[in-house]
Amino acid sequence: MDSVDLQVLATARQWAAQGRRLAWVTVARTWGSAPRPPGSWLVVRDDGLIEGSVSGGCIEDDLVARMRAGGFSGAPVLQRYGVTQDEAARFGLPCGGTLELLIEPAPDVASLRQLSERLREGHLVRRTVDAATGEVTLDDAPRGEAMQWDGQHLRTVHGPRWRLLIIGAGQIARYLAPMAIALDHAVSVCDPRS
């Protein structure tokens, strides 16, 4: 989980504690070119403030307008953007890409709090959202599990990535570190030299 996602989670908890109405938005699937990968988060507040990103800005304006108009309530909503070429151009999606978003009106604040606590403790957590009911469950996730979306359940994995400690900043470390980063490892290089 990167620092952007942690900030989205912290902001959502803060806004909920202030009694604000929220909508939690997750990129469930993409086709073609997409500015943000599946699993990216955005939280939008009733007055239009946002934290996070699902598209780099082009879809966020529509989500803010819909939130301000009271458009999100009840069970989660599946929303597709860029289904047609005209819609892709209207929302500014690059290269005709398509985004499928799962929008959770009034996310469960207790589960957000629990997710924050488990992440602070260093756990790898799977967050599952039932798209029909809005029920959210948190479970321990096995290493290597990826995000899954079957049209009914959205499962996202959060927490520490695999870690690799490389002792010595030599020639092997110079090549090994970028390869490990590309494979989603958190890399630390230990060397007495500055």
Side-chain angles (χ1 to χ4, degrees):
M1 171 173 258
D2 64 23
S3 60
V4 172
D5 289 339
L6 290 173
Q7 183 61 43
V8 173
L9 188 58
T11 300
R13 289 185 61 214
Q14 177 187 10
W15 289 346
Q18 295 169 353
R20 303 305 297 248
R21 193 170 55 84
L22 309 174
W24 188 269
V25 183
T26 306
V27 176
R29 194 177 324 196
T30 64
W31 294 272
S33 180
R36 298 284 290 144
S40 297
W41 282 344
L42 166 81
V43 64
V44 59
R45 197 167 81 174
D46 53 5
D47 62 354
L49 285 179
I50 62 171
E51 183 72 47
S53 175
V54 293
S55 74
C58 46
I59 300 301
E60 284 81 349
D61 290 341
D62 183 58
L63 294 170
V64 165
R66 291 176 63 191
M67 184 68 171
R68 284 183 175 162
F72 301 124
S73 61
V77 176
L78 186 61
Q79 179 69 50
R80 287 188 180 100
Y81 288 93
V83 174
T84 65
Q85 288 289 56
D86 289 339
E87 191 173 291
R90 183 175 59 142
F91 289 112
L93 290 171
C95 304
T98 301
L99 295 175
E100 188 172 84
L101 306 177
L102 184 66
I103 303 167
E104 300 171 58
D108 179 27
V109 178
S111 75
L112 295 178
R113 186 177 315 109
Q114 185 181 12
L115 179 58
S116 291
E117 291 166 4
R118 291 177 75 176
L119 292 174
R120 257 195 315 274
E121 294 168 358
H123 293 276
L124 188 61
V125 181
R126 175 180 45 228
R127 180 178 188 264
T128 303
V129 181
D130 184 322
T133 66
E135 180 184 357
V136 175
T137 57
L138 300 175
D139 304 301
D140 290 332
R143 290 263 176 225
E145 184 172 343
M147 189 195 111
Q148 299 173 5
W149 169 239
D150 62 12
Q152 175 67 31
H153 296 94
L154 178 64
R155 294 172 184 89
T156 52
V157 179
H158 312 280
R161 300 175 293 179
W162 287 102
R163 293 185 176 112
L164 176 64
L165 175 61
I166 302 173
I167 306 299
Q171 290 298 319
I172 293 174
R174 180 176 170 192
Y175 294 100
L176 179 59
M179 285 189 290
I181 289 169
L183 294 171
D184 202 29
H185 285 65
V187 177
S188 297
V189 178
C190 179
D191 195 274
R193 299 170 284 186
S194 59

